[in-house]
């Protein structure tokens, strides 16, 4: 692995993490951890998780789904970028280190691509991670072939969200990853049915998420919350995106309205919105099976298929064709995925 940017160096972590190799990369915007899964010769899929999550707590549900794992790992080498200090075993970031801006984190993604010698990539982000990768796509349009966004953010925080984040920041700063902070985060990620209530116990995925949240360094999470609370509106930049975009959002997500707004601002010829009923923001964990067929149709536009349908090499360069007609058919989607609604505007 080369260093294509003179000031970008890396220290490899010689260990296997859940089947992937983890790399600690020193970028121009601070260190970052990247877990790599799959064949480096295949096209690259870059992921970025939501606040307080990393690739295992944000994408394991999807990748533990055999059909989705088959689709993704057959066609891509996956590069899981963790927000600074969110990787397993992360040490607390020095309080003297400057808090990165959202632009710094987007530019950090470019440094990661340079380190691995990657040109154009597919991007897959969840909520805060979706914002970072959308910003990256707007700044480096030639480097993004497509966007898969889950419950994405694209506007600046509302006063309500800003205040809510300030309260959570104060709790993290003074009390660490306490029960109240975890409850705030779980409300952000999951629907009420999955979180449980008096008559219904919380689900296994919520229990697993709680356990993983306990492993986060609270001050590192605090820094990412601070960064996202200073984000700015990307609405104007959305009009300039040149890649195809597939957006998933849970019907009960706190960010449902924002996902609909984002869809309305993107080029309608190359964008589709999939709304997942009875689901919160973290669709990758709560209802990963609902993502499979839309992603299959999305990838068909690039000539990529699951192994049983393979009729071309996944190692061939991706080319961003227009969105597949099947993806633009709500009737077809409705038949195949009953818990799914699609919103696509077609030009007559």
């Amino acid at each position: 692995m080369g260093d294509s940017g003179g000031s970008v160096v890396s220290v490899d972590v010689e260990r296997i993490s859940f089947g992937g190799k983890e790399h600690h990369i020193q970028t121009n915007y601070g260190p970052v951890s990247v877990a790599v899964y799959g064949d480096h010769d295949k096209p690259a899929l870059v992921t970025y998780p939501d606040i307080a999550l990393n690739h295992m707590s944000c994408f394991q549900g999807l990748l533990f789904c055999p059909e989705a794992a088959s689709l993704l790992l057959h066609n891509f080498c996956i590069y899981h970028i963790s927000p600074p200090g969110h990787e397993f075993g992360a040490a607390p970031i020095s309080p003297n280190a400057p808090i990165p801006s959202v632009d710094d984190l987007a530019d950090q993604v470019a440094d990661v691509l340079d380190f691995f010698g990657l040109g154009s990539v597919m991007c897959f982000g969840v909520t805060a991670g979706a914002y970072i990768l959308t910003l990256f796509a707007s700044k480096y349009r030639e480097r993004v072939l497509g966007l898969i966004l889950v419950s994405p953010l694209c506007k600046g925080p509302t006063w309500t969200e800003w205040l809510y984040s300030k309260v959570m920041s104060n709790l993290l700063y003074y009390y660490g990853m306490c029960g109240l902070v975890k409850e705030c985060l779980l409300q952000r990620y999951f629907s009420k049915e999955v979180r449980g209530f008096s008559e219904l116990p919380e689900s296994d995925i919520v229990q697993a998420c709680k356990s993983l949240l306990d492993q986060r360094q609270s001050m590192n999470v605090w820094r990412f919350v601070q960064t996202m609370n200073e984000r700015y509106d990307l609405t104007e930049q959305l009009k300039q995106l040149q890649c195809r975009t597939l957006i998933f959002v849970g019907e009960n997500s706190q960010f449902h309205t924002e996902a609909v707004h984002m869809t309305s601002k993107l080029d309608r010829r190359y964008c589709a919105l999939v709304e997942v009923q009875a689901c919160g923001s973290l669709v990758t964990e709560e209802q990963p099976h609902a993502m499979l067929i839309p992603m299959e149709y999305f990838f068909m536009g690039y000539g990529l298929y699951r192994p049983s349908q393979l009729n071309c090499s996944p190692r061939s360069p991706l080319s961003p064709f227009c969105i597949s007609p099947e993806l633009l058919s709500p009737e077809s989607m409705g038949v195949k995925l009953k818990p799914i609604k699609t919103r696509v505007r077609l030009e007559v």
Side-chain angles (χ1 to χ4, degrees), residues 81-110:
I81 301 177
S82 291
H86 281 53
E87 68 274 12
F88 284 109
I93 298 173
S94 168
N96 297 322
I99 296 175
S101 67
V102 288
D103 284 291
D104 291 339
L105 294 184
D107 292 337
Q108 190 177 63
V109 173

Side-chain angles (χ1 to χ4, degrees), residues 147-258:
L147 285 169
I148 302 172
L149 307 175
V150 178
S151 303
L153 303 173
C154 70
K155 296 191 289 187
T158 63
W159 279 110
T160 302
E161 185 194 343
W162 184 88
L163 184 60
Y164 191 84
S165 294
K166 279 295 181 184
V167 170
M168 187 163 65
S169 291
N170 288 337
L171 289 169
L172 280 165
Y173 191 88
Y174 291 107
Y175 300 103
M177 187 60 73
C178 61
L180 189 53
V181 169
K182 284 191 282 189
E183 186 57 35
C184 290
L185 290 169
L186 292 172
Q187 288 180 17
R188 176 187 178 97
Y189 305 148
F190 299 112
S191 65
K192 183 178 179 181
E193 289 72 21
V194 172
R195 296 197 314 272
F197 45 90
S198 57
E199 300 170 2
L200 186 67
E202 63 186 15
S203 69
D204 291 342
I205 60 170
V206 171
Q207 293 178 17
C209 187
K210 277 185 176 180
S211 175
L212 291 168
L213 287 174
D214 284 332
Q215 301 175 32
R216 297 286 78 76
Q217 293 284 349
S218 57
M219 291 309 296
N220 297 355
V221 176
W222 176 83
R223 291 166 61 87
F224 195 20
V225 172
Q226 295 289 97
T227 297
M228 291 308 300
N229 222 22
E230 298 297 324
R231 72 183 188 271
Y232 55 90
D233 194 334
L234 298 180
T235 299
E236 288 304 310
Q237 287 94 317
L238 294 178
K239 301 172 185 177
Q240 302 170 6
L241 288 182
Q242 299 173 345
C243 60
R244 298 169 54 228
T245 305
L246 176 61
I247 297 176
F248 293 92
V249 66
E251 189 177 49
N252 300 326
S253 169
Q254 298 176 9
F255 311 106
H256 181 274
T257 301
E258 190 144 353

Side-chain angles (χ1 to χ4, degrees), residues 291-304:
M291 301 180 67
L292 178 62
I293 289 178
M295 286 197 305
E296 278 198 272
Y297 286 138
F298 184 72
F299 293 144
M300 281 179 190
Y302 297 91
L304 300 176

Side-chain angles (χ1 to χ4, degrees), residues 23 34 41 44 52 58 65 69 81 86 90 101 111 114 126-127 129 156 188 216 230 257 262 279 288 293 303 336 342:
H23 306 264
V34 184
D41 291 333
C58 194
C65 171
I81 301 177
H86 281 53
S101 67
D111 281 354
D114 290 341
V126 177
T127 311
R188 176 187 178 97
R216 297 286 78 76
E230 298 297 324
T257 301
M262 186 173 186
C279 187
I293 289 178
K336 296 186 177 182
T342 57

Side-chain angles (χ1 to χ4, degrees), residues 126-143:
V126 177
T127 311
Y131 178 96
I132 298 300
L133 292 180
T134 301
L135 177 57
F136 170 72
S138 72
K139 297 181 73 170
Y140 301 88
R141 292 195 293 271
E142 73 285 354
R143 303 196 74 167

